[in-house]
Amino acid sequence: MTVKKIWMTGSTSRKSRYAWRTMGGIFGIVALMLLLVAGGVLLMFQAGLPREAFSLILCLGVTVLGTWLGLRLGKRTAQDGTVFVLTAEGKLYGLQAADLAGSARNVLAYAEGTLRTQALLRKLEEKPFLPAAADEIRRVETIREHRTEYVVRCRVRRPGGHSALRTFFVAGDVEDADRLLQELERRQSWENDLEPKENLNPLGILLSAAALAILVVLCVLSHPAQAQLPQVIYFPCLAGAVGTFGVMVYFILRQHRGE
């Protein structure tokens, strides 16, 4: 099919640095967390701080910071790897190029996937074409506007012919973003406004946050530094807190993506 218009994150006048930004961000976050842990342990010994209490605070702080940085990197990676293609026939396609790296089972395979993604994005920049893996956007379910992006939930037809729901990210620096949004809005069904689906994400966030708070309190009270509760429940509660934190993040991401 003849390509009429293509939308990509950033300026198409420069080569994509998808792989370097993604892998650099991952290793940067890991290095920062290791540095904070090492620095915190060194400070604890030099300043004579209470080991049990300080270790707990350091662990929680580094975990929260690493999760926040990882989510920001993941959002930017998703934006950088999203491409929209409008054909001369008026069909709109979406491509999540980041899927080329997302199914990797180890670090080396993931790095190779990011390089393949970067190569594809550079080819699209040099000479726009319709990738074989692109999904045809048949109907737009929701368009959510955020501070730096739009999150678009779509019903698409996959290359194999079957229907599926996909989420695409429209970054704020996409060139001619207004026209892309117009194309997306044209495919938005008015039936979605009449019968909105029940959103259970806020309830999931509330319940997981409450459970997390309870488990953190139990961890603190059962910690050897406090010894208000039996120490035997400390590690089970700590493991439960980590798992509950992951569940809460999951619901927050679903709410952000409009799923």
Side-chain angles (χ1 to χ4, degrees), residues 14-235:
R14 66 172 184 268
K15 291 185 177 181
S16 171
R17 296 182 176 85
Y18 177 88
W20 312 122
R21 292 179 61 174
T22 301
M23 296 306 299
I26 292 174
F27 286 118
I29 293 173
V30 172
L32 176 62
M33 294 179 69
L34 291 176
L35 182 63
L36 289 176
V37 170
V41 172
L42 182 62
L43 176 64
M44 179 179 65
F45 282 108
Q46 288 187 345
L49 300 174
R51 296 185 180 182
E52 294 83 359
F54 187 79
S55 298
L56 177 62
I57 295 173
L58 180 63
C59 178
L60 293 176
V62 171
T63 301
V64 172
L65 177 62
T67 302
W68 179 73
L69 291 175
L71 291 175
R72 286 183 60 87
L73 176 62
K75 183 173 72 172
R76 188 62 191 183
T77 298
Q79 292 176 356
D80 289 346
T82 299
V83 179
F84 293 94
V85 179
L86 179 66
T87 67
E89 295 79 12
K91 295 183 178 181
L92 183 64
Y93 290 81
L95 172 68
Q96 292 179 326
D99 288 348
L100 295 175
S103 58
R105 298 181 179 179
N106 54 65
V107 176
L108 181 59
Y110 184 81
E112 293 175 350
T114 60
L115 288 173
R116 290 196 302 270
T117 302
Q118 179 175 278
L120 174 60
L121 294 175
R122 289 186 175 184
K123 288 181 180 179
L124 288 169
E125 292 170 355
E126 295 172 358
K127 187 177 181 180
F129 63 94
L130 179 61
D135 301 316
E136 182 186 354
I137 299 176
R138 305 301 298 273
R139 187 178 72 231
V140 174
E141 301 287 339
T142 58
I143 301 177
R144 288 176 175 264
E145 181 179 1
H146 297 282
R147 186 172 59 88
T148 60
E149 65 179 352
Y150 292 88
V151 182
V152 185
R153 185 72 169 165
C154 304
R155 174 70 63 176
V156 303
R157 184 169 66 182
R158 304 302 308 276
H162 63 277
S163 178
L165 281 172
R166 299 299 299 270
T167 300
F168 296 97
F169 298 88
V170 181
D173 60 354
V174 171
E175 186 177 354
D176 200 9
D178 291 340
R179 184 179 176 185
L180 173 58
L181 290 173
Q182 289 176 1
E183 292 291 338
L184 292 169
E185 289 170 353
R186 283 179 50 197
R187 292 161 175 80
Q188 190 169 16
S189 174
W190 57 272
E191 296 176 353
N192 297 333
D193 297 328
L194 295 180
E195 298 181 2
K197 297 180 180 179
E198 185 178 6
N199 184 6
L200 298 178
N201 294 324
L203 178 60
I205 295 172
L206 179 63
L207 292 178
S208 56
L212 177 61
I214 293 173
L215 288 169
V216 169
V217 171
L218 291 177
C219 284
V220 172
L221 295 179
S222 61
H223 196 276
Q226 298 294 329
Q228 299 296 317
L229 292 174
Q231 186 177 348
V232 69
I233 70 171
Y234 173 74
F235 286 106

Side-chain angles (χ1 to χ4, degrees), residues 201 204-210 212-213 241-255:
N201 294 324
I205 295 172
L206 179 63
L207 292 178
S208 56
L212 177 61
V242 173
T244 305
F245 179 72
V247 173
M248 184 179 67
V249 171
Y250 168 76
F251 281 113
I252 292 174
L253 288 177
R254 284 182 56 89
Q255 178 68 16

